Amino acid sequence: MTDAGDATPASERIRLRRGAHLGSYDRDSVHVVLDAGVVAHVGVVTPEGPVVIPMGYGRDDDVLYVHGAVGNAALRAAEGEQVCVTVTVLDGLIVGRSPFHNSMRYRSVVVRGAARRVTAADEHMAALRLISDHVISTWEHARPPTDAEIRKTMVLAVPLAEASVKVRAGGPVDEPEDLDGPHWGGAVPLISSWGDPEPADDLVSGIVPPSSVTDIAGTRAT
Ligand SMILES: Cc1cc2nc3c(=O)[nH]c(=O)nc-3n(C[C@H](O)[C@H](O)[C@H](O)COP(=O)(O)OP(=O)(O)OC[C@H]3O[C@@H](n4cnc5c(N)ncnc54)[C@H](O)[C@@H]3O)c2cc1C
């Protein structure tokens, strides 16, 4: 992770101000956090006002993809417009000697840019697979999507040209006069992991999960 103080943001609007030394703009750092994350929050200005919707996502090099039903109001409002997509991995809680210095351990990415609706059939299909396989790679084991399913799904592409990363690790940064005081300071790590696969109630007996499903059990989620 490079120090944002030494790096140049692609635009002024993604320049970190507070805690800038925790940040970076380099693409590898952006990719690492996006590849570790599970949920994206997609921020859109709709005719009814701003809305932020959680969604799955996928990444192909420097493009982030999100998808949803063609009737999805947020995605429809986002088409061709400026959006802000954030991905956050929560790694723990930081407990200060005073609540003022409570914080969190995290890795986060903020992406700002214009959302392009994907219309080319090959990119559309590739993006659906990327999104599907982002966390658990089951596409090649599942029934292929039908034309109707594909038609019902819209995909937006957001370039990663304007993206920033911020990573907070370690413990609290307390007031010097509090360090010799009686109050506890430290951190509580958050470690999330995937559990054992649970077959569907109506699964035909004898069908075993693909290795991508069994392999994920017990591994770190983020
Ligand atoms: C889980 C979590 C909890 C947080 N809790 C708080 C809180 O309670 N209060 C608080 O003030 N801050 C909190 N933060 C930090 C917050 O995200 C901002 O970094 C912080 O408010 C400082 O923003 P700023 O003024 O520097 O940037 P802003 O002026 O708000 O944003 C300018 C640009 O900086 C970049 N940027 C800002 N924050 C981030 C980020 N986290 N990751 C990547 N890029 C970023 C974006 O590109 C943005 O366009 C939290 C962060 C996380 C991940």
Side-chain angles (χ1 to χ4, degrees), residues 13 39 43 50 72 85 90 165 196 213 216:
R13 68 178 181 170
V39 176
N72 182 299
V85 182
L90 186 61
V165 185
D196 291 329
V213 170
I216 201 173

Side-chain angles (χ1 to χ4, degrees), residues 12-20 24-25 84 87-90 103-112 162-167:
E12 276 310 302
R13 68 178 181 170
I14 62 159
R15 182 184 291 282
L16 287 141
R17 284 173 267 248
R18 293 174 47 242
S24 165
Y25 309 101
C84 179
V87 171
T88 305
V89 178
L90 186 61
S103 187
M104 298 184 197
R105 290 179 176 172
Y106 59 78
R107 293 161 275 161
S108 60
V109 164
V110 174
V111 183
R112 304 181 72 164
E162 288 180 273
S164 54
V165 185
K166 200 170 176 185
V167 177

